[in-house]
Amino acid sequence: RLVPPVYEVITAFREYGNPIWVKRFIDYTLKHLMPAVTDQDSSALGYVMPIEEYVELRNHISGMYPAVMMMEFANDNYLPRSLLASHNILKQIERAEFLCAALGGLINDFFSFEKEVLDAESDFNVIPLYLPNTAINCMSNTNRSRRKFTIAP
């Protein structure tokens, strides 16, 4: 069951968009919403996610696939998957979509690092996956200490 604002958007897309595109958009939107409401920290998962798994999941959680698809809708110019497949370029298009989604999602990790990792102490961010645990622990502890000694204006 979709929340009312998402349902309203989907309803509008059904009215104005290509039906095959709308189905794909709904599928990607659900792939975005379902894991986005689940704790993805390593403590909740019970393991540290490999980079490849993280990037794939981040692409969905960040909502970048629906965002990339919006280009087709905004231009009323849809990429028919069957035609792309018949010309042997579907895999290249899907790879380009993946890279666009990864670029947006991973860049967001850099901008949200302080809020998500240092303040909220979450490790669902690409930066902690690349840094040794000791470095992240050191930064988190330093940040907590900094907040203790900051004098509010």
Side-chain angles (χ1 to χ4, degrees), residues 9-128:
V9 169
I10 297 297
T11 300
F13 285 156
R14 282 189 174 133
E15 183 176 341
Y16 299 108
N18 173 293
I20 295 169
W21 178 90
V22 171
K23 164 95 173 76
R24 281 185 49 244
F25 184 83
I26 291 170
D27 290 345
Y28 275 129
T29 300
L30 291 174
K31 285 180 182 177
H32 156 65
L33 294 173
M34 300 308 277
V37 297
T38 304
D39 189 353
Q40 301 295 341
D41 277 355
S42 59
S43 59
L45 296 174
Y47 69 98
V48 175
M49 199 176 288
I51 295 291
E52 296 79 12
E53 182 181 344
Y54 174 82
V55 170
E56 186 62 43
L57 184 57
R58 177 51 112 184
N59 282 359
H60 288 291
I61 287 178
S62 67
M64 289 306 301
Y65 283 122
V68 168
M69 289 185 69
M70 289 299 296
M71 290 185 279
E72 292 178 68
F73 180 81
N75 290 297
D76 194 28
N77 188 3
Y78 302 94
L79 300 173
R81 300 291 152 157
S82 58
L83 182 62
L84 298 173
S86 70
H87 290 289
N88 296 320
I89 59 171
L90 179 58
K91 287 187 191 303
Q92 292 93 331
I93 296 296
E94 288 173 342
R95 179 70 178 156
E97 291 168 341
F98 171 85
L99 293 172
C100 287
L103 179 66
L106 295 173
I107 285 176
N108 180 67
D109 279 4
F110 286 93
F111 290 112
S112 63
F113 176 77
E114 182 178 8
K115 179 183 75 164
E116 293 174 356
V117 178
L118 298 181
D119 294 343
E121 298 180 8
S122 170
D123 65 358
F124 189 71
N125 185 292
V126 74
I127 296 171

